[in-house]
Amino acid sequence: DALAGHWDDARNRVKAVLAEEPKNFEALCVYAFIEAGLQDYSVAADLYQRALAVQDSPAVRLALTKLPQQ
């Protein structure tokens, strides 16, 4: 859903996963991607930081640096 731009559907699915598993690395990353796609960069940055607290990832660190500064 996220890759197809179906932001609301994707957000609802990922929120359901995070309700059960708040430290799910993949779900945090997808949620951050969704928020970045919706241009809510501060929320995306927070979600990427939460993901990095669970697991280090060069790809996530790079995505975090590419977010526009607000």
Side-chain angles (χ1 to χ4, degrees):
D1 287 334
L3 293 176
H6 302 142
W7 303 120
D8 290 331
D9 292 336
R11 184 190 280 151
N12 290 336
R13 287 179 191 233
V14 78
K15 280 185 170 184
V17 171
L18 289 171
E20 295 292 321
E21 301 175 57
K23 293 185 178 183
N24 184 303
F25 176 78
E26 291 83 8
L28 289 166
C29 292
V30 170
Y31 196 5
F33 175 81
I34 292 165
E35 294 303 329
L38 293 170
Q39 298 180 350
D40 196 341
Y41 302 119
S42 62
V43 172
D46 179 61
L47 290 162
Y48 279 136
Q49 291 288 356
R50 286 177 52 195
L52 287 171
V54 173
Q55 175 181 320
D56 187 35
S57 167
V60 173
R61 281 189 271 120
L62 179 63
L64 185 58
T65 66
K66 291 188 178 229
L67 292 175
Q69 299 299 315
Q70 291 187 339

